[in-house]
Amino acid sequence: MRRVMMGAVLVVVAGCEPAAKRAIEESRADVQAQLARAQKIGTALASVPPVTKEGLTMAGPVVLAANHKDELPTATLVYAEDLPALTAPVLENDRLSGAKLLSECASLLTQGQHLGTSTTIHANVVKSYLAKCKNLKHVFVIRTRKKAARELTGDVVAFELASGKYEGGFPLAITSAGRTDKVSNTTTSTTRSGVGRRARATKTVTTTESSVNADESQLRSDLDDAIEDGITRLVPTAKFID
């Protein structure tokens, strides 16, 4: 275990500017405790049957804030399958943007980098993410049972983070209308005519338009709306700060 921890610290040193590394170390214990609580909830999910009757009972303010906002959230979304991966988080491209906070914090602790990137991070960004994770009181776990191009079924179940207490949930049954996006592609080609010094270069710009299937993007957007609608309906005082 000691070797593993030393290795993780070495990765952080290599991937952070000094001030960012200090910010990570200052918050490491508190954030790691939060991640451990979330993982413990993940192991308990199997004992929670699929939600058929909606209902949420949650104490205190419920605030979900986008990662780029300064406000501190008291709750966040997370996919059930991402909870075991918090010890070695990976970027999953199909995730809702609001369901990446725990994985982002786990990536900062283990890699010293944003999730799925190798760019240098700055201390103010690190402090913002880790402060959000330290302030969490509840987690909404997205459980997907079936997913197709335009359909998704499952549920959202809520837990108090500190105690692991189950706080209820609501079912998900989404049928998306789908979407087709128009995409423009511009290419530039150069041809030369003439001989020697008299040769001239002619540039030709060609723009083509094609249709791209965006069912996955639309389904993700519909899922985002369904989750927000469910939370605000069952917890009228809940706030979403986007």
Side-chain angles (χ1 to χ4, degrees):
M1 179 61 74
R2 187 175 181 181
R3 287 183 184 174
V4 172
M5 292 301 295
M6 289 177 64
V9 171
L10 286 175
V11 171
V12 170
V13 171
C16 288
E17 60 178 23
K21 185 185 74 114
R22 287 194 298 273
I24 290 173
E25 295 310 316
E26 288 169 359
S27 294
R28 179 178 294 278
D30 290 338
V31 175
Q32 188 60 60
Q34 290 282 70
L35 297 176
R37 294 180 186 111
Q39 286 191 293
K40 189 174 180 180
I41 287 170
T43 63
L45 285 176
S47 65
V48 180
V51 177
T52 57
K53 184 178 180 181
E54 65 179 28
L56 285 171
T57 303
M58 311 182 78
V62 177
V63 179
L64 293 97
N67 291 343
H68 66 278
K69 294 293 185 178
D70 293 333
E71 286 83 358
L72 291 177
T74 64
T76 192
L77 300 171
V78 64
Y79 285 79
E81 54 268 40
D82 289 344
L83 289 171
L86 291 178
T87 52
V90 295
L91 177 65
E92 301 289 352
N93 292 321
D94 64 343
R95 300 300 191 243
L96 297 177
S97 60
K100 296 179 181 180
L101 178 59
L102 289 173
S103 294
E104 283 281 6
C105 288
S107 182
L108 289 173
L109 294 194
T110 60
Q111 303 295 322
Q113 296 169 346
H114 280 306
L115 189 64
T117 72
S118 57
T119 56
T120 300
I121 57 173
H122 303 290
N124 62 322
V125 177
V126 169
K127 290 177 181 178
S128 175
Y129 273 99
L130 299 185
K132 292 177 188 295
C133 279
K134 286 191 290 185
N135 199 61
L136 293 175
K137 304 295 187 296
H138 312 274
V139 290
F140 291 93
V141 184
I142 305 167
R143 302 193 298 183
T144 305
R145 286 196 301 276
K146 180 181 178 182
K147 182 181 177 183
R150 297 187 180 186
E151 294 183 359
L152 184 147
T153 59
D155 56 26
V156 173
V157 287
F159 295 84
E160 185 180 61
L161 191 54
S163 66
K165 176 185 175 183
Y166 176 61
E167 298 177 304
F170 54 92
L172 293 171
I174 300 167
T175 300
S176 173
R179 192 176 84 222
T180 300
D181 290 346
K182 295 292 185 180
V183 178
S184 296
N185 183 43
T186 300
T187 59
T188 302
S189 60
T190 303
T191 58
R192 300 186 70 83
S193 59
V195 180
R197 294 181 179 179
R198 295 175 179 251
R200 293 182 178 180
T202 302
K203 289 186 178 180
T204 302
V205 178
T206 304
T207 299
T208 60
E209 191 175 77
S210 59
S211 297
V212 176
N213 185 311
D215 285 351
E216 176 70 25
S217 296
Q218 186 61 50
L219 181 62
R220 189 161 56 247
S221 176
D222 292 342
L223 173 62
D224 199 15
D225 290 342
I227 291 174
E228 182 170 346
D229 289 345
I231 293 174
T232 54
R233 183 176 65 254
L234 298 172
V235 187
T237 57
K239 291 197 306 181
F240 283 79
I241 302 172
D242 298 321

